[in-house]
Amino acid sequence: GNSVTQMEGPVTLSEEAFLTINCTYTATGYPSLFWYVQYPGEGLQLLLKATKADDKGSNKGFEATYRKETTSFHLEKGSVQVSDSAVYFCALSAPLEGGYNKLIFGAGTRLAVHP
Amino acid sequence: NAGVTQTPKFRVLKTGQSMTLLCAQDMNHEYMYWYRQDPGMGLRLIHYSVGEGTTAKGEVPDGYNVSRLKKQNFLLGLESAAPSQTSVYFCASRVRQGGDYGYTFGSGTRLTVV
């Protein structure tokens, strides 16, 4: 079946540190992959996406590359800020009956950045 | 441009009580979804709808019912609440075209069943 596995958190970093949050997936076919971010008290927001192998999604200094050979989509940022503190979810698009799609999420990784 | 609005934002229920969560979107999206978020489990799909008058079961539908009488609204009902339904509930919508793009999430409803 389809599933997403993320590294467990929380991840605690100092401001300007390098961030990596690991994400691997299991899927039939070649799903689109996503990173969503959830700030405290808010809903999920799309951070970046990639739709095919070797695509690199990027936004707000975050990057992730779709690696088919390792079935991975790791999230990276070169220099984190306090404002990046949030929960990050890796997700893939999986098929539903009737040709529709749904998102399958990983468990989420909480990031805390300290000054 | 409100996007996806969920009401209420917080609710405490006693076991056996019923309630309805409302999701409203003003983007003319065809597809709508209800997810629940539990610690360490990410978000799991409860029910979804691909258009007005249509609904279907997701991964964890037991104990919930839904209705989509109007395109802009997707209601999630709990007929007899149980403590296991304590969770944060998120509604999402997206356009029909574009496949995997453009999911918009509401800010969530935190439900506690005591």
Side-chain angles (χ1 to χ4, degrees), chain A residues 32 34 38 49 51 89 93 101, chain B residues 33 35 37 90 100-101 106:
Chain A
S32 295
F34 306 84
Q38 183 181 28
K49 64 183 184 291
T51 59
F89 291 93
S93 180
N101 289 317
Chain B
Y33 306 79
Y35 284 88
Q37 182 184 25
F90 286 100
D100 301 324
Y101 301 84

Side-chain angles (χ1 to χ4, degrees), chain A residues 32 34 36 38 41-44 49 51 89 93 96-97 100-107, chain B residues 31 33 35 37 40-43 45 48 50 59 90 94 99-103 105-107:
Chain A
S32 295
F34 306 84
Y36 280 81
Q38 183 181 28
E42 298 183 11
L44 280 70
K49 64 183 184 291
T51 59
F89 291 93
S93 180
L96 288 164
E97 288 186 8
Y100 309 111
N101 289 317
K102 66 175 180 180
L103 291 176
I104 292 180
F105 291 87
Chain B
Y31 299 165
Y33 306 79
Y35 284 88
Q37 182 184 25
M41 302 186 73
L43 280 76
L45 182 64
Y48 65 99
V50 299
E59 305 165 54
F90 286 100
R94 72 171 179 87
D100 301 324
Y101 301 84
Y103 286 83
F105 282 82
S107 58

